[in-house]
Amino acid sequence: LQALQPGRPYLGDVRGLGLMLGIEVVSDGDSLAHAPKLAHWIKEEMKLRRVLLTTDGAHCDNILKIKPPMVFSRSDADRLGGELQVV
C-alpha cells in the first residue's frame, strides 16, 4: 500500500499490524489536514468495485481501514491495490 502513495498526495500515513491496516486520507501532502469526505467517497467507490473497507479515526472518519479475513491471499492483496489505484 505504501507503493500507492507517490503521486497521490491525498494518501497520508499507511500503518498497521499484520493484516489490519489503516490508510490516512488527507486533503494534501503538505498540510496533512484530515479529509473525511474524500475517505467516505473512496470507501463508497471501493464498495461499488466489491471491495469492502471501513472508515474510522479519533477525530473524524479520515482513516480507511482494511480488515481482511484470515483467508486473504496474495491475489486478494493485488486486487485491493489495483482497485485503489483506479479509484
Side-chain angles (χ1 to χ4, degrees), residues 10-79:
Y10 54 87
L11 295 182
D13 195 19
V14 176
R15 57 188 175 270
L17 182 63
L19 290 177
M20 190 167 177
L21 301 169
I23 303 172
E24 182 181 28
V25 181
V26 296
S27 59
D28 63 72
D30 294 326
S31 73
L32 300 179
H34 302 299
K37 289 180 182 179
L38 179 57
H40 178 75
W41 181 84
I42 293 170
K43 177 184 78 168
E44 294 301 317
E45 286 295 310
M46 292 296 283
K47 189 187 307 182
L48 293 174
R49 298 169 190 283
R50 303 179 63 85
V51 177
L52 297 179
L53 305 174
T54 61
T55 53
D56 199 357
H59 304 291
C60 61
D61 287 346
N62 73 309
I63 307 292
L64 293 172
K65 281 197 170 178
I66 302 163
K67 302 179 280 188
M70 294 295 291
V71 296
F72 198 69
S73 68
R74 175 62 189 216
S75 64
D76 294 326
D78 291 341
R79 178 166 177 253

